[in-house]
Amino acid sequence: MLRVSQSKIAVPPLPADFSSRSGVLAYLDRVKPGQLLLVSAPAGFGKTLALSDWVRRTGPATVWVTVDRDDDSPRLWSALLSALAALPSLPADSPLRRPGQFDTHVGPGDFVDHVVEAIETVGAPLRLVLDDVSLLAAGEPLRDLARLVRRRPA
């Protein structure tokens, strides 16, 4: 597993002059457990701040990963596993507390399956935010994310 900066897995802070957008929050609040939500708008429209505001206000524990243009699968999965391991509500015996146990050199898709199985042991709803996922280039990271979406825990 690669070292991950705390800033990559932390919910971004809201600026002091931030104005909450009640209409956006009301829309986000309609998301049900198990649903996939894509927030898409041009750069500068406030997607990150709206999601940051939302996860601070409501709902289940949130796993946040800020995606970078240079994220390959090992780096993306290291960030996701680090964010999961940092959840305060994560049981002490969860396999997610030992992210080094996840072998990134297993067959295609097997790694994602192992991560999904570990997430299922948490036993509580989780919300995953992949901020700027549109920056990922085609290839392995997108294939792995598509598998995560298909296999996502209920």
Side-chain angles (χ1 to χ4, degrees), residues 71-74 76-77 136-147:
D71 279 346
D72 56 9
S73 276
L76 180 64
W77 288 108
L136 288 177
E140 192 175 6
L142 289 179
R143 184 200 70 217
D144 288 347
L145 284 178
R147 185 171 186 89

Side-chain angles (χ1 to χ4, degrees), residues 23-40 47 50-52 54-55 58 64 126-133 149 152:
V24 173
L25 291 173
Y27 182 78
L28 294 171
D29 283 342
R30 290 188 284 195
V31 176
K32 305 279 188 264
Q35 283 187 314
L36 176 67
L37 170 70
L38 172 67
V39 178
S40 179
K47 300 175 298 292
L51 287 169
S52 179
W54 180 55
V55 302
T58 64
W64 186 288
L126 294 176
R127 180 170 36 204
L128 170 62
V129 175
L130 298 174
D131 189 30
D132 285 335
V133 74
V149 167
R152 69 185 178 270

Side-chain angles (χ1 to χ4, degrees), residues 1-54:
M1 193 165 103
L2 303 173
R3 185 185 166 284
V4 176
S5 165
Q6 182 61 31
S7 64
K8 187 169 182 65
I9 61 172
V11 177
L14 296 172
D17 62 345
F18 177 76
S19 294
S20 189
R21 296 164 60 189
S22 60
V24 173
L25 291 173
Y27 182 78
L28 294 171
D29 283 342
R30 290 188 284 195
V31 176
K32 305 279 188 264
Q35 283 187 314
L36 176 67
L37 170 70
L38 172 67
V39 178
S40 179
F45 271 62
K47 300 175 298 292
T48 298
L49 293 177
L51 287 169
S52 179
D53 187 26
W54 180 55

